[in-house]
Amino acid sequence: MFNSLSGTITGKFPNTVYLENNGIEWELFVPDSALDALPAVGQSAKIYTWLLHREDSMKIFGFSSVSERRLFLDLLKVDGVGAKGAVKILSNISGVQLAAALDEGNLAALEKIPGIGKKTAGKMLLALKGKLSIDDSTAVRTVKSSAYSDVVDSLVNMGYDKKNCETVIEELSANLACDEEFKAKDRQGKEELLFKRALVALAR
């Protein structure tokens, strides 16, 4: 079993990263937390891995840190979650927020995570309350401008100041957080809309 892969990031997509290593391009399935924390396309990165091997398929999951991978493996202990479910959870709540919700017995907070119903939230509470080992490296994602780092990078590549771009994207994403049409879009759709609105805002 390999612990990590190092190489050049050749692509970043929703829940997917491509990493080239010695002429081989690996497809890694990642939570948004890792997607946001990893370097931009074209830069070097070390990605910690976990292999899911089944009779008819093989997938490699990637993480930006050992702590993030450990949290993913903890979530796999919950009956009914599975690898895809764990990725979805980590894409929508930080490790610190998850640990706090579990320690407080906050079922309402757990049920707000997309794909987690009351039954699964209860199982998570029973299996993981007081058992998660969280450090600062797992708190890599909250729903703010960092969730749209690719949009920020695209704007910076056009010559805009990074700090201004981050401020604009954070304000726009906060304003759109309750917009039903925006919430219904997939990640690419959200990024395209934010990019267009950011261009207008930055041009003022």
Side-chain angles (χ1 to χ4, degrees):
M1 177 63 181
F2 43 90
N3 180 59
S4 66
L5 288 170
S6 297
T8 302
I9 293 179
T10 54
K12 293 178 75 175
F13 306 94
N15 294 136
T16 306
V17 166
Y18 292 151
L19 184 80
E20 185 173 345
N21 172 285
N22 293 324
I24 300 175
E25 187 177 52
W26 299 85
E27 181 182 38
L28 307 172
F29 297 91
V30 301
D32 284 348
S33 51
L35 196 68
D36 297 334
L38 290 169
V41 173
Q43 295 185 11
S44 297
K46 180 177 183 178
I47 303 179
Y48 295 91
T49 58
W50 181 78
L51 176 66
L52 175 63
H53 189 192
R54 292 175 174 164
E55 291 183 4
D56 58 347
S57 66
M58 189 180 297
K59 289 184 177 181
I60 302 175
F61 290 81
F63 308 92
S64 61
S65 68
V66 172
S67 296
E68 186 178 51
R69 181 176 60 186
R70 185 167 58 242
L71 181 55
F72 168 84
L73 294 175
D74 283 337
L75 288 169
L76 293 186
K77 298 174 184 177
V78 180
D79 181 39
V81 170
K84 288 184 178 180
V87 165
K88 195 167 187 177
I89 291 170
L90 293 178
S91 294
N92 287 279
I93 188 171
S94 73
V96 171
Q97 291 171 325
L98 178 60
L102 290 168
D103 290 344
E104 294 166 6
N106 192 343
L107 280 173
L110 297 175
E111 290 173 30
K112 288 181 180 179
I113 303 171
I116 300 300
K118 188 173 184 178
K119 186 176 181 180
T120 303
K123 289 181 179 179
M124 289 174 63
L125 195 60
L126 287 172
L128 301 176
K129 183 177 181 180
K131 298 179 181 179
L132 294 185
S133 177
I134 302 296
D135 59 33
D136 290 340
S137 65
T138 62
V140 293
R141 186 178 190 268
T142 54
V143 182
K144 54 181 183 178
S145 62
S146 63
Y148 302 103
S149 58
D150 287 347
V151 179
V152 172
D153 291 341
S154 296
L155 293 167
V156 171
N157 289 337
M158 294 179 67
Y160 292 105
D161 178 75
K162 184 174 183 178
K163 187 174 181 179
N164 288 341
C165 293
E166 289 176 338
T167 299
V168 167
I169 292 299
E170 184 169 350
E171 290 176 351
L172 287 172
S173 58
N175 291 335
L176 289 168
C178 296
D179 186 287
E180 295 300 326
E181 184 178 351
F182 180 76
K183 290 194 293 184
K185 293 179 180 292
D186 59 15
R187 185 181 179 87
Q188 183 177 352
K190 291 177 180 177
E191 290 179 341
E192 290 176 352
L193 179 59
L194 283 172
F195 181 76
K196 291 176 182 178
R197 294 199 179 186
L199 285 176
V200 174
L202 291 166
R204 292 172 183 168

